[in-house]
Amino acid sequence: MDATPSATELARYLEQRGELSKPWMLQLLRLTKLKEARQEMDPQEYLDKLQEAHADLMRLGEFWKGREQEVFAGRYQPPTLIEPLPGSPDDR
């Protein structure tokens, strides 16, 4: 069984956490959607889109500096204080 969330589940999670503005999270969502569409795609089209996604990810630079454990080891620790979404009733 694949424990990876679907693109819809991932998008919902990122939206709830207010992380859709983070470019690396958008890339994760993009790759998840691409993985889901792979079976319906021509192999060359899939490879082209994967190469595009890789090039875009490389343009992000070293976003991972200081976040090595989270990014490379999968040891994400959410902050103890979760800020409310901007514009929500709980927003200060």
Side-chain angles (χ1 to χ4, degrees):
M1 182 174 163
D2 189 7
T4 306
S6 71
T8 303
E9 293 167 332
L10 181 58
R12 189 174 300 122
Y13 174 78
L14 295 175
E15 183 178 38
Q16 288 172 348
R17 301 228 4 115
E19 295 188 354
L20 280 176
S21 62
K22 296 178 179 176
W24 59 92
M25 292 297 187
L26 290 174
Q27 285 297 323
L28 179 61
L29 181 58
R30 178 183 185 182
L31 290 171
T32 303
K33 290 181 79 141
L34 186 58
K35 179 181 174 185
E36 288 177 1
R38 182 178 187 179
Q39 297 303 318
E40 292 94 38
M41 297 176 79
D42 173 72
Q44 186 58 50
E45 180 187 11
Y46 174 75
L47 182 58
D48 292 344
K49 294 210 177 276
L50 192 58
Q51 288 173 335
E52 270 180 38
H54 178 263
D56 289 344
L57 184 61
M58 293 299 101
R59 281 193 283 279
L60 289 179
E62 297 179 336
F63 71 89
W64 48 267
K65 288 260 184 184
R67 305 173 65 157
E68 290 87 342
Q69 288 300 310
E70 173 187 348
V71 175
F72 299 115
R75 295 190 190 118
Y76 176 69
Q77 300 233 324
T80 53
L81 174 66
I82 297 177
E83 292 291 326
L85 293 174
S88 71
D90 297 326
D91 191 17
R92 292 181 240 141

